[in-house]
Amino acid sequence: QDYLSVFSTDEAGNLGRDTYFFDSADRISFFCEPKAVADDGKSLVNAKHLCINKVGHALHEKDEVFHQLSFSDKVKNVSKSLGYKHTVVPQSMYIFKQPFVGGEVTLHQDSTFLYTAPRQSCLGMWFALEDATEENGCLWAVPGSHKLGTETHFAREKDEKGRVSMGFRRLRPAPSEVQLTPLCALPMKKGDMVLIHGDLYHMSKENTSPKSRHSYQLHMVEGPEEGCIWSALNWMQRDSEFPRLYEQ
C-alpha cells in the first residue's frame, strides 16, 4: 500500500476502511503512532523502530517466541482456574508505548472489540515487558466497572454500495461520571501480568517520558461449546478457526 497504517483509539472507526487492518487478523502486521507519521502519510518523523505503535494480531500463532508464551502451561492454568473450558485465542498484540510519542489509549472495554453472544467472555492477559509507571503510560482502570455490562459493539457495517466499514453500536446508555470514578493507576514491574475482564473500563495515558513501556497483550474468549459465539460483525474475521488454548 502507498500509505502508513496508524493506530489510534480516537479514530477506530477509520480503521474499518483500512484493508491492511482487516488483513492483520491472521498475520503479523505493524501499525504506526499517529504522531510519528509525517503529514504526507508516507514518511516517518523518527527512526522506524521508534515509530511503531503496535504489532498484531497473530503473534501467538506466527511467532515462535510468542507462541510458546501464549500457549504455555502457566497461561493454560490461569485460564482453567477462572473456569474457562474451551478457550479460544483470537488476538495478540505487542504494544510499544514509545518515548514521547506513545499515544493515549482512551477509556474502553475489550468486549467492545472481541464480542461474543449471547454472553461476553473476553479475558485479557496483559504482560509487562518493561516497568509500567504513571510517567511512561501505565494502565488505569475503574474498579468494579466490569459489572456495568458491555456499552458498545465495534461492528461491521455496509453502506448502500456494499462497502464495509466499522462503527460503534450502542448496547446500553453511557455510564455516568460517577460510575466511572475513581480511575486507579495500575503500575507494574517488568514480568508482572494483570488479568482484565472484558467489560472492565480501562485506559492508558500518553507517554511523555523518555522511557518506553513495552507490553504483550493476549486476548481469549470461551468457545462455542460453552454457548459463546464469536460475532460475525466483529472486525476480526478469518477463513481459518482461531487456535484453541488447550489443544496447542
Side-chain angles (χ1 to χ4, degrees):
Q1 61 186 35
D2 60 357
Y3 62 92
L4 294 168
S5 187
V6 302
F7 182 83
S8 169
T9 52
D10 287 337
E11 302 175 359
N14 293 334
L15 293 172
R17 294 185 286 275
D18 187 341
T19 301
Y20 185 78
F21 173 70
F22 275 133
D23 290 345
S24 70
D26 59 354
R27 301 178 184 179
I28 296 178
S29 300
F30 299 81
F31 300 87
C32 296
E33 284 285 354
K35 290 183 178 181
V37 178
D39 292 339
D40 62 8
K42 299 179 181 180
S43 55
L44 299 172
V45 301
N46 207 337
K48 185 183 297 184
H49 71 281
L50 294 175
C51 294
I52 301 297
N53 171 292
K54 73 172 183 177
V55 180
H57 292 90
L59 285 162
H60 59 297
E61 290 184 89
K62 304 297 184 179
D63 182 271
E64 181 179 354
V65 172
F66 289 105
H67 182 275
Q68 290 177 359
L69 169 61
S70 304
F71 297 97
S72 65
D73 288 341
K74 288 184 177 180
V75 168
K76 292 177 181 178
N77 289 338
V78 170
S79 175
K80 290 177 181 177
S81 73
L82 295 173
Y84 282 73
K85 298 179 180 179
H86 296 88
T87 313
V88 176
V89 189
Q91 175 178 279
S92 56
M93 300 181 291
Y94 191 112
I95 308 294
F96 290 80
K97 205 73 165 180
Q98 302 283 9
F100 301 117
V101 298
E104 177 186 28
V105 177
T106 55
L107 199 65
H108 68 283
Q109 300 169 296
D110 290 340
S111 290
T112 292
F113 305 95
L114 304 163
Y115 192 88
T116 57
R119 67 179 177 90
Q120 300 310 310
S121 61
C122 178
L123 172 68
M125 292 187 180
W126 201 101
F127 299 86
L129 304 181
E130 297 179 319
D131 290 351
T133 67
E134 292 188 37
E135 290 71 35
N136 70 354
C138 71
L139 285 174
W140 292 72
V142 182
S145 59
H146 64 289
K147 299 176 183 178
L148 297 173
T150 310
E151 179 185 348
T152 58
H153 180 195
F154 187 56
R156 289 176 178 245
E157 301 173 342
K158 286 187 178 181
D159 62 19
E160 64 278 1
K161 295 183 179 180
R163 293 174 298 191
V164 177
S165 63
M166 300 300 300
F168 289 94
R169 295 188 174 188
R170 180 158 297 282
L171 305 176
R172 62 169 176 81
S176 67
E177 184 176 343
V178 172
Q179 289 176 306
L180 293 181
T181 52
L183 192 62
C184 298
L186 299 175
M188 300 169 66
K189 289 292 186 180
K190 178 180 178 180
D192 287 349
M193 187 269 281
V194 65
L195 295 170
I196 301 178
H197 188 286
D199 282 342
L200 181 74
Y201 284 91
H202 60 287
M203 64 168 293
S204 64
K205 299 179 181 180
E206 283 187 303
N207 182 6
T208 58
S209 81
K211 295 183 178 181
S212 59
R213 190 228 64 190
H214 291 197
S215 65
Y216 178 61
Q217 299 169 30
L218 187 66
H219 290 103
M220 52 193 66
V221 297
E222 187 61 274
E225 295 87 348
E226 298 301 311
C228 296
I229 307 302
W230 183 259
S231 174
L233 298 179
N234 287 345
W235 79 265
M236 180 175 283
Q237 305 292 333
R238 44 188 272 181
D239 295 331
S240 58
E241 291 187 352
F242 296 125
R244 291 176 175 266
L245 181 62
Y246 305 138
E247 295 178 7
Q248 298 290 315

